[in-house]
Amino acid sequence: MRLSFSLLSLYSMVATSEAFAPTSQIVNKSCGCTSTTLFGAFNKGNKQAALMKKMADAKKQREIDSGEAVPEPTEAKDKAQDKLSDEEMKKQNDLKRFQELLDSEAATVNYNIGGGNYQTQQQEEEDLDAGQKGADRLFEGDPAPVEPFEDLLNFTTGNALCKKGASKVVPWLDKSLSKQSDFLIVVTDPREKSSELRSALKNMSMLLTPDILSRLIVINADSPGETRRFLKKNDIDNINVYCDEKREWMRQYTVLGENRWAMCSMVLKDGRVEKLVRELDVELATQVIKSFVKSMKR
């Protein structure tokens, strides 16, 4: 009863103060309302909001007094805050782990595009490990065999290159002395109808200059007919592609892959393997080739 009487008295005071509020002769011409009326409406809204808050607090206290509601203990609030802090800490740790992952990936894909670096750190380490283990694979500086070129198939005619055709592909076999000092870039993929190689072919055709493309050949594992159909369908006519259906060239140059079949790229010059990248990333193929060229022209 005491609480109800207090609320009624408070509401009566609010109503009385509004009844004796002064008026003003200043009128807003656009709406026909006095400034005092507008202020009174605003003031009334604030008082009603305050009154509603007091009524809500009183209701909550009444429920507590009657045993219908139990106030939230301070310890529970502290635990909730601690839980929120744990969640925030978890988010911070997740961000740290994600950043570490990005850093490790950045360290792995460390292509120095525009410089002489064309291998990732992982590829360099794999070459070192293979060299220490005495793996049967070609390394940079090893002799580049010529005979495997003779068995490559021309995708247009389906015929093997033989010695005459190989001499037109391999720079140091060319009759022209000026061409003998040039280099050859080779991109290979032992997988039939390789989606990665086909994507790389499209990118190389569009993104590499004629000067680079004149030094580039691609060796796939498809038949001449399949190669011809793909190149025609995609309007690729500026890349020299040769077929190695039996994968003899790839076996001789040890680019089949030790763990899995993948794209590879290399630079051959003066009968040697000058540059070699195993497991070539299709997204970085054109950039690696550009880096090859820059390093060779130094």
Side-chain angles (χ1 to χ4, degrees), residues 224-238:
E226 178 62 33
T227 303
R228 190 164 53 247
R229 284 188 292 272
F230 170 76
L231 296 177
K232 183 178 180 180
K233 180 180 179 180
N234 292 276
D235 295 322
I236 300 175
D237 57 4
N238 55 352

Side-chain angles (χ1 to χ4, degrees), residues 212-247:
I212 296 178
L213 290 173
S214 66
R215 294 180 167 90
L216 171 71
I217 68 169
V218 173
I219 300 176
N220 65 19
D222 297 330
S223 66
E226 178 62 33
T227 303
R228 190 164 53 247
R229 284 188 292 272
F230 170 76
L231 296 177
K232 183 178 180 180
K233 180 180 179 180
N234 292 276
D235 295 322
I236 300 175
D237 57 4
N238 55 352
I239 299 180
N240 294 312
V241 182
Y242 298 95
C243 304
D244 185 25
E245 285 187 277
K246 296 180 180 180
R247 301 181 181 84

